[in-house]
Amino acid sequence: MKKNDPAIGIIGGSGLYQMEQLRDATEHKIDTPFGSPSDALIGGTLGGRQVYFLPRHGRGHRILPHELNHRANIYALRSLNVRWIIAVTAVGSLKEKYKPRDILLPSQFYDRTSTRATHTFFGEGIAAHISFAEPISVQLRSLLGDSAKKVGVTVHNGGTYVNMDGPAFSTRAESELNRQHGFDVIGMTNLPEAKLAREAEIALATMAMITDYDCWKTEEEPVSAQTVFGHLTANAEAAKKVLVEAIPRIPTEPNWPEHSALDAAMATERRLWPKVTIDKLGPILGRFL
């Protein structure tokens, strides 16, 4: 493993704030043109690969979903040459068959949020429109599914994650409507990460760790922070097992479709790109310069 080899990023969700499995861990405090990430990134090796871990909500869970600086988080990872991201995130289940402490690997998203200006790196003179029909890396999702089965974790490969604003949990009417639409799990954080990772030409897949049944299941207690956190420790341990199994199996060369996502996305002619925006997006646009 060489210093500048393509790296793997882990975004840890609720309950997963550190990875003690990382060897030779070092802390990286990174400033970005979009502000500060959620926390310092912890770099180290796992299974012979360079890995950078970022706790999405900060250590101690200090940042609400609508306060997250997704652009700074993904930019910081990309600036460290991260080309694959495994996003671990707590979700509510919208179907009986997806039980608390199961893992669902989403294949699709539905967006119910309203902050699109912060869900793209582009603008300010450079227009880009990524293809997002398949928002998750199929290869990385498949690899995570195989790894979860190997370590004996109940995993469901595929499904739709509906992204809500929060920070309050759903009303029962909202939960029922999401079920009628056929969505599988609900969360507050992962869709912007997937959009920005695609723009940054990073292959991303998500491990959605189920903590509750939202509030549609009337015979269960409605979701609360206490019920969620009751399952988080078990989910975090399961996630770590899957990560330890999966990371050494990720290819060393970034040659998946996601790694050239901008080839068909750039709408503005290169000669018109403003220098200030080029400089701002250096880690993302580097191969075009």
Side-chain angles (χ1 to χ4, degrees):
M1 184 182 67
K2 297 174 184 175
K3 184 177 180 182
N4 293 321
D5 282 348
I8 297 160
I10 300 169
I11 299 177
S14 301
L16 183 60
Y17 306 112
Q18 60 186 14
M19 282 285 295
E20 59 273 10
Q21 291 85 354
L22 290 181
R23 298 288 173 257
D24 304 315
T26 54
E27 193 168 290
H28 301 260
K29 291 186 177 177
I30 297 176
D31 289 321
T32 82
F34 299 96
S36 299
S38 295
D39 208 323
L41 285 77
I42 307 301
T45 60
L46 199 165
R49 302 297 297 279
Q50 180 64 47
V51 174
Y52 292 97
F53 176 82
L54 176 65
R56 180 185 290 110
H57 297 279
R59 284 171 284 190
H61 202 110
R62 298 170 286 105
I63 307 171
L64 282 169
H66 69 279
E67 297 176 313
L68 287 168
N69 190 338
H70 294 290
R71 289 189 293 186
N73 287 347
I74 301 300
Y75 189 102
L77 288 163
R78 185 65 180 87
S79 71
L80 292 168
N81 203 24
V82 164
R83 305 307 308 274
W84 300 266
I85 289 176
I86 300 170
V88 182
T89 186
V91 298
S93 169
L94 295 170
K95 293 184 178 175
E96 183 88 43
K97 62 183 177 180
Y98 304 135
K99 298 178 172 58
R101 304 195 183 190
D102 287 2
I103 298 177
L104 185 135
L105 307 176
S107 51
Q108 284 293 327
F109 289 100
Y110 190 88
D111 191 3
R112 288 199 182 281
T113 67
S114 53
T115 52
R116 65 182 183 176
T118 59
H119 294 177
T120 180
F121 290 115
F122 291 96
E124 298 179 0
I126 305 180
H129 303 275
I130 52 162
S131 174
F132 208 54
E134 297 294 337
I136 291 286
S137 168
V138 174
Q139 285 130 307
L140 189 54
R141 176 166 61 88
S142 177
L143 192 153
L144 289 174
D146 291 343
S147 296
K149 288 175 184 174
K150 281 191 176 182
V151 299
V153 174
T154 301
V155 63
H156 309 276
N157 195 345
T160 298
Y161 174 124
V162 55
N163 203 125
M164 65 180 285
D165 274 320
F169 295 116
S170 303
T171 67
R172 192 161 276 129
E174 290 166 340
S175 195
E176 287 292 355
L177 184 65
N178 285 327
R179 279 170 47 76
Q180 289 171 24
H181 279 119
F183 303 144
D184 296 289
V185 294
I186 185 165
M188 303 177 187
T189 60
N190 192 222
L191 175 63
E193 294 169 344
K195 283 186 177 178
L196 291 160
R198 183 63 55 86
E199 287 190 350
E201 298 190 318
I202 298 170
L204 178 143
T206 297
M207 291 169 49
M209 317 298 291
I210 296 172
T211 58
D212 57 85
Y213 281 110
D214 203 35
C215 62
W216 60 271
K217 203 163 188 258
T218 52
E219 65 268 30
E220 301 257 343
E221 284 290 316
V223 58
S224 69
Q226 281 142 334
T227 60
V228 167
F229 284 95
H231 290 296
L232 286 177
T233 301
N235 282 354
E237 292 309 307
K240 289 174 186 177
K241 289 180 184 176
V242 178
L243 291 167
V244 167
E245 172 66 28
I247 283 171
R249 301 175 58 204
I250 294 174
T252 56
E253 290 299 318
N255 55 13
W256 289 351
E258 298 81 20
H259 296 128
S260 56
L262 293 180
D263 281 352
M266 307 306 297
T268 308
E269 291 183 39
R270 170 67 181 84
R271 63 184 179 83
L272 299 176
W273 293 1
K275 184 178 185 304
V276 65
T277 308
I278 293 172
D279 292 343
K280 183 178 182 179
L281 299 183
I284 294 167
L285 296 176
R287 71 183 184 87
F288 294 95
L289 304 178

